[in-house]
Every structure is written in C-alpha cells, then in structure tokens.
Amino acid sequence: MKSKIIIDSAIPFIEGLFEPYADVLYLPSDRITRDVVADADVLVTRTRTKCNKELLEGSSVKMIASATIGTDHIDVPWCDKKGIIVRNAPGCNAGGVMEYVFCALYGVASRRRINLSGKTIGVIGVGNVGKRVVGMSRALGFKTLLCDPPRAAEEGDFDFTPLDELLEKSDIITMHVPLDKTTRNMVDKKFFKKIKKGAIFINASRGEVVDEQALIEAIPNLGPVIIDTWQHEPDINKELMEMVDIATPHIAGYSYQGKMNATAAVVRAVARFLKIYALYEFFPADDRPESTAVKLELAGLSQGEIASVLSYNYPIFTDDFLFRLEPDNFEKFREEYNYRREIYVDYK
C-alpha cells in the first residue's frame, strides 16, 4: 500500500515528484485540516500550517517536512512524544533575506538622503541569516556589532556584544533571531528606550519578536523603519503599516534560489523517510537559465552606485507599493510572488 503525502500547494518545484511512489494530495494551507490529515503519513508544509495536537491528534502522520527555516509553527515537543519526525530547511533563504536587508537599507537611505558612510550595523541573531548579513555588512565597509547570547555562551563572547551596548552604539539594527520563548516580544518599550535616536530599524525575522504597539510609540524617535514580518499574519497592523518606510508581506526570503533550496531539503528528507532512493539527492532544475544571479562587485562603488545595482536586481519599493494597495491580500501576494534572483557577492 502506498504512503499518503499531503503537500502545501504553494510550495514550488515539487509537483509530480512523489506521484510514482505515493498517493499525493496538494492543498492550500487553509484546507490542511484535521479531517484531511487523518489518514496521511507525511505532511509537507509551510509556516501557515500549525502542526500541533489540534491538527494531528489521532492521525496517522509520521513525518512533517517544512519548507521553512524555522519550526515555530510546529509543536516539536508534542511531535517528539508522539514519535512524529520533524524536518525543516535551515538556512535555505539566508541569501534572499540578506539581499532584502541591504536593498531596503540602501533604498531608504537614498529616499531619505542618509549617508551610510561610517555607520554601525547591529545584527541581533547571528545564525544562518545573520551570518550572511554580517558578511555583506563588512564587505560594504560598515562597522558591525553582533549580538547572539546562545552563541556567545557556547563560543565565548569575544566576537559578540551585549544587547544594551549594541542598541546604544548601532545606527542600524536588524533582527534575525528565531522565534521562541526568549525572543517573543523581546523588542519592547525597554528595547526602544535604549536605541540610539534616529537609528534605522529592520525586522525580517518573525513578527512576534516585536511588540508592535511599542514600535508605534517609538517611531517618532527612530529613523527609517522596515518591516517584513508582522504579528497576527495575515491580519496585519495597518496603523503600523502607514507609519513605516517599507512594508512587505513576509517575502524577504522569497528568492528563486531560496525556494529551490527549501524544496530540495524537504524532498530529500521525505525521500529518506520513505526510502525513495531516486530522490535522495534531488535538486530542482533551473527553469530560468537565462536569468542568472547578479554578481555585485563592491570595490570602488559609491553608495549611490550600490543602491542602483541593488534596486535594479530587486526593486523593493514595488513590493512595498503593491502591498500597500491591497494589504488584505497578504496571502495572495505571497502565493503569487514572482521569486527574485539573489545577488552574488564574493565577500569570503
């Protein structure tokens, strides 16, 4: 008897792969319900599917493969107790998020006529994404401060800066922490009171990391604010949206390469679980061979030239404009997004 796999229909590059080996059902996330998963063996999901007791109790699900960098939408301890294997795709979209951060940063600097020369970037959370942001930041000549308490505790604090010090010294603060009990609402009133006046604030991690009311109250004392992730998605805070410089619907990591990486990770994980040897080393075919990655040569470029290259590769203000036109179509925007090509920067 064939295994049954339920796949979120918004995951690209996956249709047709498992059909020779399993019974496959593709569904939008809002239709992946308790009744639907009752007889499934494997779920291939995104963040929109809350994989918890309410969804899975009594089902035959034995594995969840999520095409995402995080697992905060999955009750991992409960799954562990039930013997449900959980796999995700850490780091899959790191390049896309890094690109988003610098496209947004140079975009708002251009609009607001902010000179970025000599500025200090504070990177909070230095995992797969944060490390890419740090590398690009240093390549562009920024002073860079790193805050990551778990890494500092494990590796020593030589390369890391305490949060309070980072907030006091940074001209730009960008969030790249995972969502857990230590980071939920960590960006609160106390956080904003310690930030340097006029600092640029970027959140492209998780919406629940930021207390949005505290951010609204802090905005008059901040510089440009860039928000990609929101509390209560897809029902975003429209008051906050009106106040920020760039608003996007959780698409910072929506690069072509990032989606290929994510799908490859979940397909390989499911293949190993079901022993489908033909898919052990799967990677999606590039169906856009004419659209190669843009290589950004940093040496000698002025701030304006860097901004021009970044905006040419990713016109971020188009995403901002379209999202503001129809903020209630948050999910539609994500599902129909035209994945952009990442910039290639050889900064290692």
Side-chain angles (χ1 to χ4, degrees), residues 105-118:
L105 176 58
Y106 278 85
V108 295
S110 178
R111 281 197 170 184
R112 292 257 205 129
R113 299 184 180 180
I114 297 170
N115 183 359
L116 295 176
S117 178

Side-chain angles (χ1 to χ4, degrees), residues 176-211:
H176 300 290
V177 298
L179 179 62
D180 58 33
K181 62 183 180 181
T182 69
T183 62
R184 188 178 295 274
N185 286 323
M186 70 172 289
V187 182
D188 56 10
K189 290 183 180 181
K190 292 180 180 178
F191 182 102
F192 286 117
K193 283 181 180 178
K194 297 170 184 174
I195 285 182
K196 181 187 291 190
K197 185 176 176 62
I200 297 170
F201 179 75
I202 305 169
N203 184 28
S205 57
R206 286 289 187 267
E208 291 81 2
V209 166
V210 177
D211 178 335

Side-chain angles (χ1 to χ4, degrees), residues 62-134:
K62 303 177 188 68
M63 182 191 193
I64 300 166
S66 184
T68 60
I69 60 171
T71 57
D72 48 271
H73 57 297
I74 302 172
D75 188 339
V76 176
W78 186 87
C79 289
D80 286 345
K81 289 178 183 177
K82 295 295 181 178
I84 299 173
I85 296 170
V86 175
R87 296 288 184 267
N88 63 316
C92 65
N93 67 352
V97 177
M98 178 273 285
E99 175 194 40
Y100 175 95
V101 167
F102 288 97
C103 285
L105 176 58
Y106 278 85
V108 295
S110 178
R111 281 197 170 184
R112 292 257 205 129
R113 299 184 180 180
I114 297 170
N115 183 359
L116 295 176
S117 178
K119 299 297 185 185
T120 297
I121 293 184
V123 181
I124 302 176
V126 195
N128 288 306
V129 175
K131 284 187 285 189
R132 293 289 296 272
V133 173
V134 168

